[in-house]
Amino acid sequence: MTATTRPVRTTTPAQWLRKNLFRTPLDSVLTLILAPLSLYALYLAARFVFVTGRWEIVEVNLKLLMVGNWPIDHMARISVTLVAFGFLGGIVAGLVHARQVRRGTASVLNMSRRERILDLARRFGLILFTVLLLLALTSTWGPTITAVGVVVAGVAGRVVGGILGRLHLPKPVAIVLVLLMLSTPFLLYFYLVDAVPLARWEGFWFNLSSAAAGIILCFPLGVLIAIGRRSKLPLIRGMSTIYVELVRGVPFFVLLLMAHVALEFFVPASIAPSRPVRAIVVFTIFTAAYLAEIVRGGLQSVPRGQEEAARAVGLSPFSVMSRIVLPQALRNVIPAQIGQFISLFKDTVLAGLAMSIFDMAQVASAITQQSAFRGQGLIVETLTFTAFLFWVGAYTMSRESQRLERKLGVGTR
Amino acid sequence: MTETRNQVFADATAVDDPVIELESVDKFFGDFQALKEINLRVGRQEVVVVIGPSGSGKSTMIRCINRLEEHDAGRIVVNGVELSEDIKAIQEIRRETGMVFQQFNLFPHLSVIDNITLAPRLVRGLPKAQAEQEAMELLERVRIPEQARKYPGQLSGGQQQRVAIARALAMRPEVMLFDEPTSALDPEMIGEVLDVMKDLARGGMTMIVVTHEMNFAREVADRVVFMAQGQIVEVGTPEHFFTNPQEDRTKLFLSQIL
Ligand SMILES: Nc1ncnc2c1ncn2[C@@H]1O[C@H](COP(=O)(O)OP(=O)(O)OP(=O)(O)O)[C@@H](O)[C@H]1O
Ligand SMILES: [Mg+2]
């Protein structure tokens, strides 16, 4: 068999313009109106970023924006945590890759070297750019060393994970490894709060870590409630429904305020949990309700025949759910789930406002009151910077979710 | 043998060593009675083909046997175990009955081999290696060993249905229930699935097959059961049905499909 190559189509710039911008009269009119407008907007943005923007305020307060008043002496703990997560992420990526190679579903196998590099650049380019930008604004070596450490740990983890995935480990060893990996975040948490209690986690660090905690905690709760709504037992079904309807009916901000203010009416201040803990609890409760609805939709999208076939081969009700229905349900609603997590990530700034937590947005507004910067309208700069960091995080999550979706083959079954 | 080939049975329960017994089984969907006084026994290694017009309760009947539907009255006994509320009894009966669906219902997120080994590993507690070895033998039997690592979405309808048969066989069931296994298939794939079923029948598997494939019935059925409006109307050998049906409703139905 001879391989036929697709005929290479060459387009001249004129053809491209015609096809993409001036295909019909309406297209032409729209182009003529919108092109100058967007060019002007671009010009304004570029001028702000490169010419008129006064970024010293961000430069001077970078540490405050990122980690608030985290003691300098304990910054190393954050570095260690980030490096450890880099390593962990690398291992997971390596394991996933090895598994896909084993099953012959790894997409990178069909990629040329150039395509692989492009793929990596597309995935990590924005993050890399952001990190370099932040490093350029720092004056100490700590952050740079940390960043290099994270990259090295990530690559090392990827290699180790790839090797582990190829070995046929005996089951007990594999279980121990998985438990070790699962317990790492908790160990790191204790390592961190040992030096700096949760109540003093501030800046972007608060937004990031409380969002992560909320996401991890709300996931099992949301899934359980979604399953509860399909229960045969009226009590469980009723409670799940009431939970969802109650929580969804209350504004998020009001829930946060209640956790901040009203809790003290019911619980003595001495035993009431600290504000970040309350914030995380509210994140969890709130997002779980929305997640439950999303997952419920996913459960409904799995054809009845799947459950019947699973029951017919003798699987227990638990296995039917955990092995057959739930995996397909969760897979079918990945975009909606990630969308909810992105919302939570962004909404963490509301906790800052409602509960007087010194989160990144609060820092961004507080630093404009410093004597060197007061009264100069620099809030535009600090908020732009804040928005940019959140956008990078949210956009990365969104991209990775699309990738995950493609990998798991949603819609191509 | 020849004189018995053309036999009509007064009722559907005259069987010596029954693996499946249905006694006066009723089933309601709300006010609608889908099964009325069903009496049927299926003997060991017997192949019973169930025919009847759409909505006559064929699917409902075989789905009651493995408790995908709950019957409202009467008794169902499979391999000596009576079907009841008792979850243990239900699980035991499901282990003894394999089911093949019109829409295949393979698990799309699992590879072919995982589709087949899932239940043996979880329910029969087989170690992975042994389960996979057994699965490969079954795939040989349904003639698609080379598809083991693929996913259901990558297979043709006929191949998917054969995987579904292998999946059901992997639990080493005493009985196989088929609900219109070829109705969703393109004509050119029907043969390959029927061939596998014929092999099974020759191998001594006890089978209840709901189908419109009259040639299959003629070739392998020991008995044919005709259902209409939730009742068993007529039972006989294939010969009897195709040469000398008794009931008017049977004649009408056969004249429509033959
Ligand atoms: N879950 C259900 N709820 C309500 N009615 C049902 C349900 N399942 C089946 N029925 C009704 O019960 C009757 C028998 O259905 P069944 O599916 O057993 O028929 P069938 O003989 O298998 O028909 P077909 O050849 O179309 O598959 C039909 O009238 C159908 O509408
Ligand atoms: Mg049917």
Side-chain angles (χ1 to χ4, degrees), chain A residues 13-270:
Chain A
Q15 281 171 334
W16 186 90
L17 281 178
R18 193 173 172 80
K19 179 162 172 253
N20 289 291
L21 295 174
F22 300 99
R23 194 198 288 262
T24 66
L26 181 64
D27 281 0
S28 307
V29 171
L30 283 177
T31 300
L32 286 177
I33 296 171
L34 292 179
L37 273 181
S38 35
L39 282 179
Y40 184 62
L42 208 64
Y43 162 73
L44 286 183
R47 201 177 61 146
F48 174 60
V49 170
F50 295 109
V51 186
T52 60
R54 297 183 46 202
W55 302 102
E56 313 89 72
I57 186 168
V58 171
E59 202 171 339
V60 171
N61 291 295
L62 191 62
K63 177 184 166 287
L64 216 50
L65 285 161
M66 299 309 289
V67 295
N69 293 304
W70 192 279
I72 293 285
D73 296 347
H74 294 308
M75 286 301 281
R77 297 208 180 201
I78 290 188
S79 301
V80 169
T81 304
L82 293 177
V83 170
F85 272 115
F87 188 63
L88 209 59
I91 289 194
V92 172
L95 286 175
V96 170
H97 179 74
R99 181 186 160 97
Q100 289 183 327
V101 170
R102 215 167 43 235
R103 301 179 161 208
T105 53
S107 53
V108 290
L109 291 183
N110 320 321
M111 286 187 192
S112 68
R113 195 180 186 79
R114 213 179 126 239
E115 283 172 326
R116 274 189 83 160
I117 291 173
L118 266 178
D119 181 54
L120 280 178
R122 233 176 277 139
R123 283 179 72 190
F124 297 114
L126 181 63
I127 299 250
L128 195 69
F129 168 77
T130 310
V131 169
L132 288 178
L133 184 76
L134 293 178
L135 291 181
L137 293 173
T138 57
S139 47
T140 55
W141 282 106
T144 309
I145 295 171
T146 306
V148 172
V150 171
V151 172
V152 171
V155 172
R158 173 70 171 71
V159 172
V160 172
I163 294 171
L164 283 178
R166 244 169 293 150
L167 297 176
H168 287 278
L169 295 173
K171 208 160 195 178
V173 179
I175 290 175
V176 168
L177 274 178
V178 168
L179 286 181
L180 213 62
M181 280 167 62
L182 286 179
S183 57
T184 312
F186 295 96
L187 293 177
L188 287 169
Y189 168 76
F190 288 115
Y191 172 66
L192 288 167
V193 293
D194 173 51
V196 183
L198 206 56
R200 290 174 52 202
W201 289 24
E202 297 165 346
F204 193 55
W205 178 247
F206 165 79
N207 299 106
L208 204 59
S209 51
S210 64
I215 290 169
I216 292 171
L217 293 173
C218 82
F219 185 75
L221 184 61
V223 169
L224 278 180
I225 293 168
I227 294 173
R229 291 198 72 168
R230 286 163 48 113
S231 169
K232 279 202 203 97
L233 306 173
L235 183 68
I236 292 180
R237 204 170 51 231
M239 276 170 45
S240 309
T241 309
I242 290 172
Y243 177 94
V244 170
E245 294 306 334
L246 265 186
V247 173
R248 286 203 314 170
V250 181
F252 183 52
F253 196 72
V254 172
L255 273 183
L256 287 167
L257 283 174
M258 280 165 64
H260 183 35
V261 184
L263 194 66
E264 258 125 60
F265 285 111
F266 306 109
V267 184
S270 54

Side-chain angles (χ1 to χ4, degrees), chain A residues 102-103 105 171 304-317 319 323-325 327-328 331 412-413, chain B residues 63 66-68 87 91 94 97 99 101 105-110 114 118-119 122-123 149 151 153 167-168 171:
Chain A
R102 215 167 43 235
R103 301 179 161 208
T105 53
K171 208 160 195 178
R304 266 199 76 75
Q306 288 293 310
E307 192 184 331
E308 291 181 349
R311 277 158 60 193
V313 287
L315 297 193
S316 66
S319 296
R323 301 297 185 117
I324 303 302
V325 180
Q328 296 184 57
R331 203 168 282 213
T412 58
R413 291 178 293 151
Chain B
R63 287 161 58 86
N66 67 351
R67 246 312 145 107
L68 291 183
I87 187 82
Q91 291 296 90
R94 284 186 181 153
T97 51
M99 186 169 228
F101 301 85
N105 295 350
L106 291 179
F107 308 132
H109 60 304
L110 301 179
D114 290 344
L118 183 70
L122 286 180
V123 185
R149 299 285 156 190
Y151 282 79
R167 176 179 69 181
M171 286 301 288

Side-chain angles (χ1 to χ4, degrees), chain B residues 58-60 102 179-180 210:
Chain B
K58 309 180 294 292
S59 300
T60 307
Q102 183 174 350
D179 192 358
E180 304 200 30
V210 177

